[in-house]
Amino acid sequence: ESSMAESRYIWLDGQLVEYEKATVHFLNTALHYGLGVFEGIRCYSTSRGPAIFRLKEHMERLVNSAKILGFRSLPFTADQLGEACKEVVRANGFQACYIRPLIFHESEKRDLNLDSGVARVGIAAWAWGAYLGEDSEEKGVRMNVSSYTRHHPNVMMTKAKVTGNYANSVLAKTESVRLGFDEAVMLDPQGYVAECTGENLFIVRKGVIYTPGTWAVLEGITRDSLIVLARDLGYPVVETQISRDHLYIADEMFVCGTAAEVVPVTEIDFRIIGDGKAGPVTRALARAFREVVRGEHPRSAEWLSYVNG
Ligand code: PMP
């Protein structure tokens, strides 16, 4: 099965490099100071071959993340990087995979000034199953509200996927998993619900879908897609402040992200949500999302980039 093939090539600074040779020096500044911006993208198997989900939007967010961090120039355009993503999928012979572009800083000076270095770029791909567990879409997951707070947007820019920002996600995720939960919900500095460590969050109450606005969270591309699909299906979607106890009394709760896809949350802080199973709205959205990525939905045409032309 080619979708399970090992990753053999990584694209580095414009060229395909053998996996073992795609290395970076110990004194690299991105490694020391968290000066990188990255993306997570999925490529899906369809009847027309491998297709990358919302490639253009992911490349735009990558370039925007670099801008937010402060890179003034990049060695490649968003379009060139999009083509490189396709090249990585083709070179490795994947039908389905996860794609990880990373723009990272490198400086001989090793000071804390972004302008003393340059931006380098790599793109890897690997086979990756459901991030929150193989049966997470059916059975749902258990979460807690983290003791760690999500970044204030004036401390770490929450609209950028900066590598250093993810120390915050790692603190929360590790704590939650050590406590026996699958994932953490993080509150913003004001105490309202923000997002999970690698997913955006939604609740459903009396037929209305609610999600935190993007003022302090990542502008998730899966989040955006689900809002469009929900409105297509006739569900009202409201972006608003959500409190912790809103989660406790929700009829349904689900999270979404490129790696996790669409996952029902069945328990939060030891409170069962709804009847403890994936609810009807969650299931309808998960089904629509599944159809889109398989190339079997009216939205597929605008959202899929076929790797082989
Ligand atoms: N929030 C955070 C903190 C994330 O890391 C991710 C994963 N990129 C998301 C939300 C979901 O974003 P997307 O749907 O674009 O993957």
Side-chain angles (χ1 to χ4, degrees):
E1 236 283 276
S2 52
S3 68
M4 296 300 287
E6 286 298 308
S7 184
R8 283 180 295 140
Y9 296 101
I10 291 175
W11 187 96
L12 197 57
D13 305 312
Q15 277 172 330
L16 288 171
V17 178
E18 284 171 47
Y19 186 96
E20 293 76 15
K21 293 182 181 155
T23 56
V24 169
H25 196 274
F26 171 73
L27 285 174
N28 169 271
T29 43
L31 188 59
H32 289 247
Y33 305 131
L35 302 178
V37 296
F38 69 103
E39 268 306 318
I41 315 169
R42 272 193 191 270
C43 175
Y44 290 92
S45 176
T46 78
S47 60
R48 290 172 55 192
I52 302 177
F53 184 61
R54 302 199 71 176
L55 178 60
K56 188 168 173 289
E57 290 83 355
H58 280 283
M59 292 301 104
E60 271 170 20
R61 189 172 67 183
L62 179 64
V63 168
N64 283 339
S65 289
K67 184 178 186 179
I68 291 171
L69 185 58
F71 284 117
R72 286 174 166 162
S73 68
L74 296 178
F76 301 95
T77 64
D79 283 349
Q80 287 171 326
L81 293 172
E83 283 309 309
C85 288
K86 292 182 183 176
E87 202 182 330
V88 171
V89 175
R90 281 194 297 266
N92 286 293
F94 288 124
Q95 289 302 317
C97 61
Y98 178 88
I99 307 167
R100 167 57 57 79
L102 170 71
I103 300 176
F104 60 100
H105 188 252
E106 191 160 86
S107 165
E108 295 289 301
K109 289 200 182 140
R110 292 181 286 275
D111 60 10
L112 296 180
N113 179 358
L114 205 73
D115 294 331
S116 38
V118 296
R120 295 183 56 191
V121 193
I123 305 172
W126 61 83
W128 214 10
Y131 173 68
L132 291 177
E134 274 316 317
D135 52 5
S136 56
E137 190 175 318
E138 280 74 49
K139 292 177 85 179
V141 294
R142 298 172 58 247
M143 298 196 183
N144 70 327
V145 171
S146 184
S147 72
Y148 295 99
T149 301
R150 196 71 184 139
H151 300 294
H152 186 288
N154 207 28
V155 176
M156 298 293 266
M157 310 290 112
T158 52
K159 278 169 199 58
K161 281 183 75 76
V162 175
T163 56
N165 290 3
Y166 280 78
N168 176 251
S169 286
V170 172
L171 286 169
K173 175 83 181 197
T174 304
E175 179 189 58
S176 287
V177 172
R178 285 180 183 168
L179 286 169
F181 299 100
D182 300 298
E183 172 61 301
V185 171
M186 301 188 78
L187 305 181
D188 68 21
Q190 286 181 279
Y192 292 97
V193 172
E195 60 187 331
C196 297
T197 67
E199 300 85 25
N200 291 112
L201 178 158
F202 290 82
I203 56 172
V204 184
R205 204 174 170 203
K206 301 190 202 308
V208 180
I209 301 175
Y210 299 91
T211 192
T214 58
W215 34 90
V217 304
L218 188 74
E219 294 184 325
I221 291 166
T222 321
R223 173 189 182 279
D224 177 75
S225 308
L226 292 187
I227 291 173
V228 171
L229 293 173
R231 289 184 177 148
D232 283 352
L233 289 168
Y235 296 113
V237 183
V238 181
E239 296 182 62
T240 186
Q241 270 180 328
I242 293 173
S243 64
R244 180 177 188 165
D245 46 4
H246 273 140
L247 306 181
Y248 296 174
I249 57 175
D251 300 326
E252 299 181 37
M253 173 172 166
F254 58 94
V255 299
C256 70
T258 297
E261 302 177 303
V262 184
V263 177
V265 180
T266 53
E267 197 184 313
I268 175 83
D269 289 345
F270 302 106
R271 275 84 170 169
I272 303 294
I273 296 173
D275 59 3
K277 297 194 191 90
V281 179
T282 307
R283 279 191 277 112
L285 286 175
R287 192 181 319 119
F289 181 79
R290 193 57 55 209
E291 285 170 12
V292 171
V293 300
R294 285 190 189 131
E296 297 164 357
H297 190 279
R299 293 272 176 195
S300 301
E302 57 174 309
W303 286 349
L304 292 181
S305 293
Y306 292 92
V307 168
N308 302 313

